[in-house]
Amino acid sequence: MAALGGDGLRLLSVSRPDRQPESAALGGPGPGLCCWVSVFSCLSLACSYVGSLYVWKSELPRDHPAVIKRRFTSVLVVSSLSPLCVLLWRELTGIQPGTSLLTLMGFRLEGIFPAALLPLLLTMILFLGPLMQLSMDCPCDLADGLKVVLAPRSWARCLTDMRWLRNQVIAPLTEELVFRACMLPMLAPCTGLGPAVFTCPLFFGVAHFHHIFEQLRFRQSSVGSIILSAAFQFSYTAVFGAYTAFLFIRTGHLIGPVLCHSFCNYMGFPAVCAALEHPQRRPLLAGYALGVGLFLLLLQPLTDPKLYGSLPLCVLLERAGDSEAPLCS
């Protein structure tokens, strides 16, 4: 976890006077303008993504299939156009990444298999306790559970369930594309990789505040409960966003963050209170502790950049003159 706290790339650093400013090294117009363009571009993407959910006027709640279908259309359009924002950012700043735009955004073949499997395995290890809890509370045994999971009929039902498609496919794909693949390449030259890991999730967390208005509109709870719920949701979505940003930088792929996002949406926030009251709470709490311990132990080895080939964001910062980015090694 120490790598998450690295100093990163400082555009205005005076600690190394012989070092050329990054914007000059990349042919950009200047550090101040680059940062303003980067922040404004990220803010525009976040507002466009959330705004696309409300272009359809409806009196129906957000979980209604008709509302979900309409939002699929608008959010997919915005997400498909989001790479154009990165392209415009590149033109305005003059930054030349030294690689294709799609590669910079995590669409590449090199190291794709470990990038798909290892981050997901790491996330499942973190959720060891909740997975044990799920298996303990499941009325069927392992063999029956696998039959249900692997049955084509089960998948067919899922693919026709609008809420499942939203939570497991569309939301993970579009949110990781917009809030990680598009934002991180624009923020990294301005803030450095370490600070970008924590800056990028702020846009992601704020983007979830729109749920407050929907809950207030349909009187789903008291005002105080809704605000507390929103603050809690902002906190854990920001932490989760930092984690997937870390995965994106360390692997150079989008697929890992998308799969981890989908898995976490399926699992939900760990039911710690239920675990404390569970009849088998001792082995269950041991599973929680073991999962967190193994996660911290394996975080660096399973995200070692050597497993995934050259990292596009690290190449970008190397061209800027920063060969000591902490997350690149």
Side-chain angles (χ1 to χ4, degrees):
M1 294 295 284
L4 288 173
D7 290 334
L9 181 61
R10 301 267 195 263
L11 279 175
L12 302 180
S13 174
V14 294
S15 60
R16 291 196 279 181
D18 59 330
R19 178 177 163 187
Q20 194 178 21
E22 285 79 355
S23 57
L26 294 172
L33 179 59
C34 285
C35 282
W36 277 110
V37 170
S38 298
V39 172
F40 180 77
S41 298
C42 291
L43 185 61
S44 299
L45 275 178
C47 292
S48 298
Y49 186 92
V50 176
S52 71
L53 302 175
Y54 294 95
V55 296
W56 310 98
K57 292 184 179 180
S58 176
E59 297 300 322
L60 299 172
R62 65 186 294 266
D63 287 335
H64 193 280
V67 174
I68 295 175
K69 287 180 182 178
R70 290 174 180 175
R71 290 184 170 185
F72 277 2
T73 302
S74 55
V75 81
L76 285 171
V77 169
V78 170
S79 301
S80 300
L81 295 177
S82 60
L84 295 179
C85 188
V86 186
L87 184 63
L88 180 61
W89 162 83
R90 188 181 67 179
E91 295 302 318
L92 290 175
T93 60
I95 291 176
Q96 299 301 322
T99 184
S100 72
L101 192 63
L102 288 177
T103 300
L104 189 65
M105 293 171 57
F107 294 96
R108 62 196 188 103
L109 292 177
E110 182 186 16
I112 190 169
F113 291 111
L117 296 176
L118 296 182
L120 181 58
L121 174 63
L122 183 65
T123 308
M124 293 177 73
I125 289 172
L126 176 62
F127 277 78
L128 178 61
L131 286 171
M132 288 176 58
Q133 192 169 348
L134 188 64
S135 65
M136 288 177 180
D137 296 337
C138 183
C140 57
D141 58 25
L142 180 60
D144 292 335
L146 288 175
K147 287 179 182 179
V148 173
V149 170
L150 299 177
R153 186 176 299 177
S154 298
W155 284 99
R157 281 198 300 267
C158 290
L159 294 175
T160 56
D161 183 344
M162 291 296 103
R163 293 183 63 180
W164 186 91
L165 285 173
R166 179 191 63 191
N167 296 337
Q168 311 309 136
V169 180
I170 302 298
L173 179 59
T174 58
E175 289 180 2
E176 294 304 318
L177 173 61
V178 171
F179 292 94
R180 246 66 70 186
C182 290
M183 289 190 183
L184 281 170
M186 294 190 291
L187 286 174
C190 173
T191 65
L193 292 180
V197 165
F198 296 105
T199 305
C200 188
L202 298 180
F203 295 99
F204 182 61
V206 170
H208 285 74
F209 273 134
H210 69 95
H211 293 157
I212 296 179
F213 304 107
E214 294 191 347
Q215 291 173 0
L216 289 173
R217 178 184 173 190
F218 292 101
R219 299 288 191 271
Q220 294 179 353
S221 185
S222 66
V223 175
S225 298
I226 290 173
I227 293 175
L228 285 175
S229 175
F232 178 69
Q233 186 180 38
F234 171 79
S235 300
Y236 78 73
T237 52
V239 171
F240 174 77
Y243 173 57
T244 55
F246 175 79
L247 292 177
F248 181 83
I249 292 171
R250 293 276 287 180
T251 66
H253 282 272
L254 182 61
I255 188 171
V258 170
L259 292 177
C260 293
H261 193 147
S262 180
F263 173 76
C264 290
N265 278 358
Y266 173 76
M267 294 297 299
F269 192 82
V272 180
C273 293
L276 291 171
E277 299 175 357
H278 200 278
Q280 302 184 56
R281 63 177 176 274
R282 287 189 177 180
L284 196 53
L285 293 177
Y288 270 82
L290 180 62
V292 173
L294 287 175
F295 172 79
L296 295 175
L297 185 65
L298 296 173
L299 179 62
Q300 294 290 341
L302 291 185
T303 61
D304 189 337
K306 295 176 183 177
L307 299 170
Y308 309 102
S310 61
L311 304 183
L313 284 182
C314 295
V315 172
L316 172 63
L317 295 194
E318 285 175 3
R319 286 172 60 82
D322 183 25
S323 59
E324 302 174 2
L327 298 186
C328 295
S329 59

